[in-house]
């Protein structure tokens, strides 16, 4: 956890969750053809990165880890989507053609998900996971879901460690023979891992009921919405409204002929 | 002195038929530190699970004057806490503070009370600045101490500790033993399971020995039990002392102050 006191770190997780979800919602409901809008969203995101003191380089470096996955999925879309052919290539008997609609769909996926990824990077570098879960809890997200996420976060590394130990035990005694046999061994290892996890779950559950667990987790609530939170949410929502309603274009346009300002609006 | 725990004719069999406990009976007085020693697989952890009401065997268990049953299980768990052998089982929340406050919150205490109790418990184990730390990033020794804090925050009268020093390096172990001393001086009843004779020597008032057929074979003052080499050797708690003098390997009983010809 970093201890700089940037604006976004001081905010309540609830206001961040609400604002970021609102931005994502607006982005995905904007048609991709309004490319200028996405430029504006990008500006909003950069502003947030700026106030949370994340350097653009840092932001992109972290985002770049995830973006290849999106690209990989989106890569085939231009070829698969049917429509007006933009460009085609012939390899032996197959013709691959890129369609106009395909390109737009590709852009749709890539632009929207990249921007969302940048937002997630900002959110995750300004919020600890436990604060995030507390925020979700206070926003009335079902507790079961929150507990699942919390346990996943808590035990994924324990589980990975256990798997690593099993793998090491195997590789120390594996000398590259009997290739087929190895599948049986790997299946066996998965079974062992499952049983160990199951037994651990039993012990953890005992530890919970010993301390009075009765099906509901409650934690001490330190969180408090401050004026800063309301300002931040208000700021986000006003920017979103401006972008979605196209107000900015109208203002820009009416500057050119400022006598018609009122007509512009 | 009043009786904290009384167990009579307790037998437990695991669903797969393995015997976990075989006709166990003993008593612990309030404020006493009882160390249970026994080799691996002699049913020590199984006993704790039975005392906490997680497993249900045949027999009689009495905690602080009332018979353990489903009706008063909750009340008994307020007064008696258990620290698991593996701290990863005990620390299941995302931050140390969440873990330590889990018990008090479930007891229905008010927010300020919960925070005060949790901070006091963390201070007792020397983890004052660890409130927002993530449990899985702690060292093993810190995890062990955090685990005991999760129980101390509920301020129980009786504490059950399952192999508290296993896996700790010497310095962490002595830190942990200091915590146990403090608890002892506060008048808590401690029931400690271990196969670490040194821990027993340091802290026990009385010692109970479990044999490999999951049955207690001896109980008594710590000096009497820990000086009974035959008993300890027979129950796999010490090994015959082996050491080398140049090329000769000697094997003899583990005896302090004992001398032999080389
Ligand atoms: N979940 C289980 N199912 C079946 N047998 C078990 C289980 N847990 C422990 N046992 C068996 O019960 C006996 C006592 O185990 P345990 O109480 O864990 O011993 P200790 O804590 O003294 O090392 C052992 O023989 C062990 O194999
Ligand atoms: Mg055990």
């Amino acid at each position: 956890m970093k201890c700089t006191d940037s604006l976004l770190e001081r905010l309540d997780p609830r206001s961040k969750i609400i604002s970021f979800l609102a931005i994502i919602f607006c982005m995905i409901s904007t048609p991709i053809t309004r490319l200028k809008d996405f430029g504006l969203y990008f500006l909003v995101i950069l502003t947030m990165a700026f106030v949370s003191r994340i350097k653009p380089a840092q932001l992109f470096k972290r985002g770049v880890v995830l973006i290849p996955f999106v690209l990989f999925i989106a890569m085939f879309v231009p070829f698969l989507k049917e429509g007006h052919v933009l460009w085609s290539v012939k390899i032996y008997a197959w013709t691959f053609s890129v369609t106009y609609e395909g390109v737009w769909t590709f852009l749709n996926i890539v632009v929207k998900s990249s921007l969302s990824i940048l937002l997630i990077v900002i959110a995750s570098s300004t919020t600890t996971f436990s604060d995030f879960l507390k925020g979700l809890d206070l926003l009335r997200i079902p507790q079961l879901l929150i507990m699942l996420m919390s346990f996943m976060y808590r035990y994924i590394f324990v589980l990975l460690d256990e798997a690593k130990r099993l793998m090491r035990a195997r590789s120390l005694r594996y000398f590259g023979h009997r290739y087929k046999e190895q599948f049986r061994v790997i299946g066996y290892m998965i079974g062992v891992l499952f049983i160990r996890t199951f037994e651990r779950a039993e012990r953890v559950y005992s530890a919970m009921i010993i301390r009075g667990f009765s099906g509901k987790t409650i934690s001490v609530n330190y969180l408090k919405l401050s004026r800063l939170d309301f300002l931040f949410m208000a700021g986000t929502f006003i920017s979103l409204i401006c972008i979605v309603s196209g107000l900015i274009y109208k203002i820009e346009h009416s500057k050119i002929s400022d006598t018609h300002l009122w007509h512009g609006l | 002195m009043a009786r904290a725990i009384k167990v009579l004719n307790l037998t437990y069999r695991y669903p797969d038929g393995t015997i976990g406990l075989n006709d166990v009976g003993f008593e612990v007085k309030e404020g006493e530190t009882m160390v249970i020693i026994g080799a691996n697989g002699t049913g020590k952890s199984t006993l704790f699970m039975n005392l906490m009401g997680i497993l249900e065997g045949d027999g009689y268990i009495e905690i602080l004057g009332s018979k353990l049953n489903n009706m008063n299980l909750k009340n008994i768990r307020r007064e008696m806490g258990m620290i698991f052998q593996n701290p990863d089982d005990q620390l299941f929340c995302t931050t140390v503070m969440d873990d330590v406050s889990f018990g008090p919150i479930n007891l229905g205490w008010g927010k300020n009370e919960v925070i005060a109790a949790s901070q006091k418990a963390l201070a007792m184990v020397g983890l004052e600045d660890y409130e927002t730390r993530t449990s899985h990033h702690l060292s093993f020794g810190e995890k062990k101490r955090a685990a005991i804090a999760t129980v101390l925050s509920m301020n129980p009268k009786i504490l059950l500790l399952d192999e508290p020093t296993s896996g700790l390096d010497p310095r962490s172990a002595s830190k942990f033993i200091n915590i146990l001393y403090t608890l002892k001086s506060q008048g808590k009843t401690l029931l400690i399971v271990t196969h670490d004779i040194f821990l027993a020597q340091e802290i026990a008032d009385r010692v109970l020995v479990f044999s490999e057929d999951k049955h207690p074979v001896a109980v008594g003052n710590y000096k009497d039990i820990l000086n009974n080499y035959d008993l300890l050797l027979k129950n796999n708690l010490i090994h015959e002392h082996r050491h080398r003098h140049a090329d000769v390997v000697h094997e003899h009983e583990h005896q302090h102050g004992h001398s032999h010809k080389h």
Side-chain angles (χ1 to χ4, degrees):
Chain A
M1 202 177 63
K2 285 181 306 171
C3 279
T4 54
D5 257 67
S6 71
L7 171 66
L8 258 74
E9 272 169 65
R10 271 182 287 152
L11 288 177
D12 188 290
R14 278 173 288 182
S15 53
K16 281 184 268 187
I17 294 170
I18 293 175
S19 313
F20 284 18
L21 278 182
I23 297 175
I24 290 179
F25 179 77
C26 290
M27 279 195 313
I28 57 179
S29 30
T30 308
I32 185 65
T33 43
R34 289 170 65 165
L35 271 177
K36 263 193 190 168
D37 278 7
F38 288 96
L40 292 173
Y41 286 125
F42 186 59
L43 266 182
V44 172
I45 292 170
L46 275 188
T47 314
M48 289 194 169
F50 180 72
V51 294
S52 50
R53 299 205 197 129
I54 302 174
K55 293 194 190 77
Q58 266 177 320
L59 182 65
F60 292 114
K61 214 159 75 188
R62 290 201 195 168
V64 154
V65 180
L66 289 169
I67 287 169
F69 292 100
V70 178
L71 278 180
F72 182 76
I73 295 167
M75 201 165 66
F76 303 104
V77 172
F79 298 99
L80 296 177
K81 190 108 179 165
E82 284 172 14
H84 302 84
V85 175
L86 202 64
W87 175 75
S88 71
V89 62
K90 214 171 156 139
I91 302 173
Y92 301 115
W94 295 298
T95 334
F96 295 99
S97 41
V98 174
T99 61
Y100 185 72
E101 285 83 351
V103 171
W104 277 117
T105 317
F106 172 79
L107 273 181
N108 195 18
I109 296 171
V110 170
V111 169
K112 289 177 183 177
S113 45
S114 305
L115 291 179
S116 307
I117 285 170
L118 292 182
L119 264 181
I120 288 169
V121 170
I122 294 175
S124 66
S125 42
T126 54
T127 321
T128 63
F129 195 72
S130 71
D131 276 350
F132 170 68
L133 291 182
K134 274 196 195 119
L136 288 180
D137 191 24
L138 292 171
L139 288 171
R140 305 291 157 90
I141 300 296
Q143 282 226 318
L144 194 62
L145 216 64
I146 293 171
M147 264 155 81
L148 275 177
M149 283 195 271
S150 155
F151 281 126
M152 189 127 89
Y153 177 73
R154 172 67 184 84
Y155 285 107
I156 188 89
F157 295 104
V158 177
L159 194 68
L160 282 179
D161 264 0
E162 206 131 9
K164 232 182 277 171
R165 275 200 297 270
L166 282 173
M167 293 291 285
R168 207 175 299 139
R170 183 198 78 115
S171 59
L172 282 176
R173 285 175 287 166
Y174 175 58
F175 302 103
H177 295 293
R178 310 243 280 175
Y179 187 70
K180 270 188 207 149
E181 188 84 329
Q182 295 309 308
F183 290 104
R184 199 176 60 85
V185 173
I186 288 169
Y188 190 67
M189 272 166 41
I190 293 171
V192 169
L193 198 60
F194 179 78
I195 291 170
R196 285 194 189 167
T197 309
F198 185 81
E199 284 181 346
R200 182 183 294 280
E202 264 185 344
R203 289 195 303 271
V204 170
Y205 184 64
S206 319
M208 291 171 78
I209 56 173
I210 284 175
R211 284 189 267 154
F213 178 70
S214 56
K216 239 179 100 185
T217 53
I218 338 145
S219 55
V220 182
N221 177 20
Y222 296 104
L223 303 174
K224 228 165 119 192
L225 287 171
S226 64
R227 208 167 54 192
L228 203 64
D229 289 295
F230 290 108
L231 280 175
F232 177 74
M233 282 194 279
T236 313
F237 280 110
I238 291 171
S239 339
L240 286 178
I241 291 168
C242 290
I243 297 175
V244 170
S245 62
L247 200 61
I248 291 183
Y249 296 128
K250 286 177 193 163
I251 292 172
E252 192 183 26
H253 186 76
S254 45
K255 265 189 191 150
I256 299 167
S257 51
D258 52 359
T259 45
H260 297 299
L261 184 78
W262 288 110
H263 292 281
L265 284 173
Chain B
M1 225 189 277
R3 206 163 49 205
I5 302 175
K6 177 176 177 168
V7 177
L8 264 182
N9 306 112
L10 180 65
T11 296
Y12 182 82
R13 195 183 277 273
Y14 278 99
D16 66 354
T18 317
I19 292 180
L21 290 172
N22 182 10
D23 190 20
V24 174
F26 64 92
E27 284 187 19
V28 184
K29 290 198 278 293
E30 255 180 65
E32 189 178 35
T33 302
M34 166 91 102
V35 172
I36 301 177
I37 53 176
N40 291 325
T42 49
K44 303 174 309 280
S45 301
T46 312
L47 172 68
F48 275 7
M49 291 304 214
N50 273 274
L51 290 178
M52 293 305 308
I54 301 273
L55 301 177
E56 212 176 317
D58 300 324
Y60 178 82
I61 299 176
E62 181 191 295
I63 312 281
L64 295 169
S66 48
K67 184 182 184 300
L68 179 73
N69 57 32
N70 284 331
M71 305 293 288
N72 60 16
L73 202 55
K74 274 201 177 145
N75 290 330
I76 285 176
R77 285 179 184 157
R78 276 169 199 238
E79 305 292 351
M80 183 164 75
M82 171 174 171
I83 291 113
F84 284 66
Q85 181 174 353
N86 186 344
D88 274 327
D89 297 339
Q90 187 122 19
L91 304 169
F92 45 79
C93 297
T94 42
T95 66
V96 172
M97 188 58 176
D98 281 347
D99 261 315
V100 176
S101 57
F102 186 89
I105 289 174
N106 279 313
L107 290 178
W109 297 358
K111 181 175 165 181
N112 293 332
E113 237 177 320
V114 169
I115 294 177
S118 307
Q119 283 172 342
K120 195 175 148 209
L122 283 173
M124 256 200 84
V125 300
L127 295 176
E128 289 92 342
D129 302 326
Y130 284 63
E131 288 182 19
T132 55
R133 292 277 290 272
T134 312
S135 315
H136 64 253
H137 289 149
L138 302 182
S139 76
F140 189 72
E142 289 165 340
K143 275 186 191 171
K144 276 269 190 186
R145 282 186 281 147
I148 195 168
T150 64
V151 174
L152 291 183
S153 59
M154 298 167 76
N155 196 21
K157 288 206 179 83
I158 308 176
L159 281 159
L160 311 182
L161 296 116
D162 198 347
E163 313 222 356
T165 53
S166 73
L168 290 178
D169 62 58
R171 193 171 303 143
S172 313
S174 75
K175 247 187 216 168
F176 203 95
I177 291 173
N178 281 337
I179 295 171
L180 296 182
Y181 270 130
T182 313
L183 293 173
K184 194 178 154 112
S185 68
Q186 288 174 351
K188 307 238 184 244
T189 310
L190 302 180
L191 198 56
I192 303 170
V193 149
T194 186
H195 48 240
D196 178 358
I197 300 285
F198 293 102
L199 175 63
Q201 260 166 354
E202 287 213 35
I203 200 153
D205 294 324
R206 283 198 304 148
V207 175
L208 177 77
V209 183
F210 260 66
S211 73
E212 283 174 324
D213 51 7
K214 287 127 189 172
H215 179 75
V217 285
V219 60
N221 180 285
Y222 79 102
K223 276 185 192 147
D224 300 339
I225 301 277
L226 298 176
N227 286 324
N228 188 342
Y229 300 114
D230 289 338
L231 178 73
L232 297 183
L233 188 62
K234 188 160 150 261
N235 290 293
N236 193 12
L237 287 159
I238 49 174
H239 47 79
E240 284 193 286
H241 203 66
R242 291 159 65 98
H243 56 186
R244 279 172 58 181
H245 301 290
D247 295 332
V248 191
V249 176
H250 293 263
E251 267 192 30
H252 58 76
E253 283 179 358
H254 184 94
Q255 285 191 357
H256 297 272
H258 170 94
S259 64
H260 60 96
K261 275 198 196 135
H262 292 151

